[in-house]
Amino acid sequence: MGKTIINIAVIGGGLGGLATAIALRRAGHNVTVYEGADELAEVGAGIQVPPNTSRLLDAYGLFDRFAKKVVWPANINMRRYSSGDIIGPTPLKPKMQELYGYPYWLIHRADYQRLLFDAAIEAGANVILGARVNGVDDSTITVHLENGKVEKFDLIIGADGIRSNVRLAVMPNEEVLPRVSTNCAYRATVPAAKMRADPKVSFLMDDPNSNCWIGYRRHIMAYPIRNGELYNLVMSHPGAAAVGRWNEPGNLEEMKTHYRHFDPTIRRVLEKVDNCLKWTLADLPVLSNWVSPSGRICLIGDAAHAMLPYLAQGAAQAVEDGATLGELLTDIKSVDEIPALLGLYEKIRRPRCEIIQKGAYENGDIWHMPDGETQVQRDLGMKGQLPAGAKNPNQWGDGNFQPWLFGHNAITEARKRLGEFRKGSEQNGTEVARL
């Protein structure tokens, strides 16, 4: 039996949805992406692209395009909130490429989305902006649009974020609400000219690093983006904002007050901020399932495993989800195989995503502890002064966790697991069956 080309809807045109569309087009399938926004809508802020993502972008032929838009940081520096002293660095350039074959990048979110959007279009995906989806139907595998149209597909993928509508079809008998953190965050950028005009902070642009000042219930992650045109700031602090919104205006004086006890250097940077956005930090509880009762609708990214941003892996895991689906569906022989292959997708992806989700949550406690003996021991651990076999509290620098996180190849893992699955099916004398 030859390969079957299937018709796939991806609900959501964010980073995960577009990356998934690229992977599925490379697998030879017909892909329609429905994005509710009338234009590409990523806010003006930065995002980290770790080696487990840059290797997938390279597999999609996008490495050189991204390389023109990114900053290649030297280190992630964990810093003492009050003094700016480096507690523990995680070497990135050239260390990540030497260890894992691929770099760790920093990029503007809007640039990231535009690069993926252009690549999805070039690959032949039909990306429809302004296409608001009211819901999907698991019994008919249909997408119901706000304009009244109903479109039928072989497979529907929910890439529609933490407040996913598609999740209602996957889990019809459960109400899943985001777990709202006690923290929210400000996002802001400062133009390079402002940074360079001040000799006390210009070094932050000249020696690009990802810097993270950590203190009680607060931290500031900051780094240059857009080839050094902007300095990006993400500031976590106690408070609340609208869940799922990224564009609620923040109060500048309130922002500065939250960090009044921080390192004078980063406070000088905050003085240069003209406006900021505020949003709540939230994740999802572990879901009972990612695949619908029919086996024809599944969730990816934040719709399946929204996580706090404290490991900078949310988008990375969505891209891995898409790469996994692309590989599993490459040689599909019949639409009847879809339920089994989606079951395999969930079986492959769930354990990894849940570990990362848990690690991101734990980083909130690790980074935000009050001054005291436990904090002193944490700092010693981040400096590498650890008892034999102890885990580094800087998870990015831990000798066991880092290679598991950054060295992962979602494509080869999916290929291996699919081979094992097909071999097992053949030994049982059956076609691919539901797991």
Side-chain angles (χ1 to χ4, degrees):
M1 187 184 296
K3 173 179 173 174
T4 292
I5 295 174
I6 60 176
N7 298 312
I8 304 172
V10 178
I11 313 302
L15 303 178
L18 292 171
T20 300
I22 294 167
L24 295 169
R25 280 299 300 152
R26 288 174 58 83
H29 300 300
N30 300 321
V31 181
T32 301
V33 180
Y34 294 106
E35 168 53 44
D38 295 322
E39 56 187 3
L40 297 187
E42 281 291 3
V43 297
I47 188 170
Q48 304 185 51
V49 183
N52 50 308
T53 302
S54 57
R55 74 164 60 247
L56 298 176
L57 298 173
D58 184 45
Y60 299 159
L62 302 177
F63 190 94
D64 291 342
R65 293 189 196 185
F66 272 80
K68 293 174 184 175
K69 295 284 187 179
V70 301
V71 169
W72 297 40
N75 303 281
I76 300 174
N77 290 322
M78 307 304 293
R79 293 179 177 270
R80 173 82 171 145
Y81 76 96
S82 56
S83 65
D85 293 342
I86 295 175
I87 301 168
T90 300
L92 300 178
K93 183 183 180 183
K95 195 72 172 178
M96 292 291 117
Q97 214 149 1
E98 292 170 355
L99 288 173
Y100 310 118
Y102 289 91
Y104 198 112
W105 287 332
L106 309 171
I107 192 170
H108 196 291
R109 277 180 172 270
D111 292 341
Y112 197 167
Q113 188 183 31
R114 171 57 66 177
L115 286 166
L116 291 178
F117 177 85
D118 291 345
I121 296 294
E122 289 174 23
N126 181 23
V127 183
I128 307 174
L129 300 178
R132 293 167 182 80
V133 174
N134 282 343
V136 299
D137 189 321
D138 190 43
S139 62
T140 56
I141 321 302
T142 50
V143 175
H144 296 250
L145 295 160
E146 192 179 73
N147 63 12
K149 288 186 177 179
V150 177
E151 305 286 355
K152 183 167 176 57
F153 292 89
D154 299 312
L155 165 62
I156 298 172
I157 297 170
D160 53 342
I162 193 168
R163 296 184 297 177
S164 169
N165 281 328
V166 177
R167 196 162 58 230
L168 298 173
V170 171
M171 306 170 65
N173 300 316
E174 297 181 53
E175 183 180 19
V176 179
L177 298 175
R179 296 188 303 188
V180 179
S181 164
T182 56
N183 273 28
C184 61
Y186 300 109
R187 281 188 177 274
T189 57
V190 179
K194 275 192 172 185
M195 295 289 290
R196 294 191 178 283
D198 185 342
K200 293 190 176 180
V201 301
S202 61
F203 74 94
L204 294 169
M205 304 299 294
D206 294 327
D207 182 22
N209 288 287
S210 184
N211 291 293
C212 191
W213 287 260
I214 56 175
Y216 178 51
R217 298 193 70 191
R218 293 165 176 81
H219 76 266
I220 298 176
M221 176 68 81
Y223 47 81
I225 55 172
R226 209 164 248 180
N227 283 321
E229 293 176 15
L230 297 169
Y231 198 63
N232 181 72
L233 298 150
V234 181
M235 298 159 274
S236 177
H237 62 281
V243 176
R245 283 188 60 189
W246 288 66
N247 56 355
E248 183 177 323
N251 182 294
L252 290 179
E253 292 311 310
E254 178 190 87
M255 177 196 77
K256 293 169 187 175
T257 299
H258 272 294
Y259 303 99
R260 65 189 181 278
H261 300 306
F262 270 53
D263 172 15
T265 298
I266 194 62
R267 293 208 321 266
R268 285 184 76 95
V269 176
L270 297 187
E271 288 296 330
K272 303 177 194 310
V273 174
D274 292 329
N275 58 77
C276 63
L277 302 175
K278 181 179 180 180
W279 89 105
T280 284
L281 299 177
D283 65 1
L284 283 179
V286 172
L287 303 186
S288 61
N289 53 287
W290 296 3
V291 179
S292 69
S294 76
R296 297 288 195 90
I297 301 176
C298 73
L299 304 173
I300 70 161
D302 283 357
H305 47 72
M307 53 189 69
L308 295 174
Y310 302 153
L311 271 175
Q313 280 284 323
Q317 291 312 299
V319 175
E320 285 189 12
D321 290 344
T324 301
L325 284 169
E327 192 60 37
L328 295 181
L329 295 167
T330 293
D331 292 316
I332 187 170
K333 303 298 189 293
S334 162
V335 293
D336 294 335
E337 290 186 352
I338 292 173
L341 293 173
L342 291 191
L344 181 57
Y345 153 74
E346 180 176 343
K347 191 174 183 179
I348 293 169
R349 294 296 302 152
R350 178 189 280 275
R352 177 169 168 83
C353 291
E354 289 177 2
I355 289 169
I356 295 170
Q357 193 179 37
K358 183 172 181 285
Y361 186 88
E362 290 171 349
N363 256 2
D365 292 333
I366 294 168
W367 293 1
H368 295 161
M369 60 179 57
D371 288 352
E373 183 56 33
T374 305
Q375 164 263 319
V376 170
Q377 292 304 312
R378 177 203 67 189
D379 292 359
L380 289 172
M382 286 188 173
K383 290 174 181 175
Q385 299 174 26
L386 293 160
K391 181 179 178 181
N392 189 332
N394 174 12
Q395 297 188 72
W396 283 312
D398 183 72
N400 293 316
F401 188 71
Q402 185 194 86
W404 176 85
L405 185 65
F406 293 153
H408 186 76
N409 186 328
I411 293 174
T412 56
E413 176 67 14
R415 192 173 297 160
K416 182 187 84 168
R417 297 286 292 276
L418 179 61
E420 293 169 353
F421 180 54
R422 290 199 182 280
K423 185 177 179 181
S425 298
E426 290 168 5
Q427 289 173 344
N428 291 333
T430 64
E431 295 294 324
V432 175
R434 180 184 287 274
L435 288 173

